[in-house]
Amino acid sequence: MAVTVSTIAPPLPALQSDWAVRAQADPFLLADIARAVRGPFHVIEPGRFGGNLAAFKDALRAAGVDGQIYYGKKANKAGAWLSECVRYDGGIDIASEPELIHALAHGVRGEDIVVTGAAKATGLLWLASRHHCLIAIDNLDELDRLIGLRLPVRILLRVLPEVNPHSRFGLDREQLSSAVDRCVQAMDTVTMEGFAFHLDGYRVQPRAELADRLIDTCVAARASGLAATSISIGGGFACSYVDPEDWQRFRDEYRDDWFHAEMRFAKFYPYYQSPIGAGMLTAILDRVGRRFATTSTRLLCEPGRALLDQAGFSVFPVHGFKQRGDHGVITVGGLSMSVSEQWKGSEFLPDPILWQADSAGGAEPVTAFVGGASCMEYDVLTWRKITFPRPPRYGDLLIYPNTAGYQMDKNESEFHQLPLPPKVRVHECDGRYTWEFDAY
Ligand SMILES: *Cc1c(COP(=O)(O)O)cnc(C)c1O
């Protein structure tokens, strides 16, 4: 083979949880599901989501801070997460009418739902008010429309963060002060429960600083007779997908020719981070927990990706393999929309895994990028040339690990009239597996 070593990227093996490793090690499970589905599918483990949610709740409890964890629902559409929220007494963060109805249908109570998102339709405001949801107000005319419903409403005022002045979300300083005035005037129907923000990036410091400042704003609002019990610090809790050494090496040695056709990317998700998940909430509470506790302010947060960490992986059937210059191309059944990072001008970097690749003894390793089943040149699941232990062949399965957070269904479509990949929930009992489709 005419492969020159320099054009091949070092491996970025994905971190995987025990349940996923065991499910992938079972000799039959994935092949059985693949035979039934006859296309790509997503494997999910709601118990892992429940564990992540419980860890967030524990972080609040350990800091002696009251509050609520709302699952940022846009990160994955499966119904199974909603039942876990009910089980662990969590809430849901929604931004559309269908998301609200879905949460209610799974038994999530309106009082445990927060409605975020920009300028919301009056129909959504009405339905959310009927169910006593908490509504994060994003602009003044929206507040007027909500007050105009003449229903009892619970609201937060969403703040435009100074560290992110170009954001299209939230109220600037002047708008915020007008909004507070209107809440005071409309106190007969409006319960103003506090303030909210949602920051880009995954850093502890800006979240702790803004929360600290808003505690003062809350205390001042209480002096005007408003409830102002709570601050939502939004989402953006970090996750790690790979080991720190592998990530550092990837960044240090980075070359464009690691990618098919020298594809260039401006930016990648930081696939290794610290602290992550509930540990990041603890780090925030280490800085401002005491102030929340001493002012009896509740801390609300809206993690999406972090609750889904290690709660699922995606499986694609291999449709073919061929050489293309010094490397190969694997074509899979399914589309790159099932790996949403590919639709943000970026790449999902943890290495895909060829299932049961060790089964053919004596075969030579190959390097290949991974294309989807559509007729688009840019329908590529992985541009990076990945080394596989043997040439993939028709009927093999290719696993993308840890995809539940945003990768699975954010961008999926029925392009080419292909059905959307189902989500399959697996159960293990005494080393044996059963599985079922995720119900709406
Ligand atoms: C998307 C979103 C979240 C969830 O963000 P993650 O990065 O997945 O934690 C939370 N709150 C708001 C307002 C959002 O728009």
Side-chain angles (χ1 to χ4, degrees), residues 76-110:
N76 191 302
K77 298 185 183 86
W81 322 124
L82 306 176
S83 306
E84 292 300 305
C85 287
V86 170
R87 183 186 317 241
Y88 289 93
D89 207 18
I92 315 273
D93 161 21
I94 62 101
S96 74
E97 226 173 280
E99 284 183 341
L100 172 56
I101 293 164
H102 195 194
L104 293 170
H106 277 261
V108 181
R109 288 176 301 234

Side-chain angles (χ1 to χ4, degrees), residues 70-75 93 95 116-117 158 169 197-199 201-202 207 232-238 301-308 406:
Y70 298 92
Y71 163 50
K73 189 177 185 320
K74 69 177 184 283
D93 161 21
T116 60
R158 182 162 170 173
F169 299 102
F197 63 84
H198 173 64
L199 294 179
Y202 306 95
R207 287 175 172 78
S232 173
I233 65 169
F237 291 86
C301 64
E302 302 147 5
R305 188 190 290 261
L307 292 181
L308 295 159
Y406 289 108

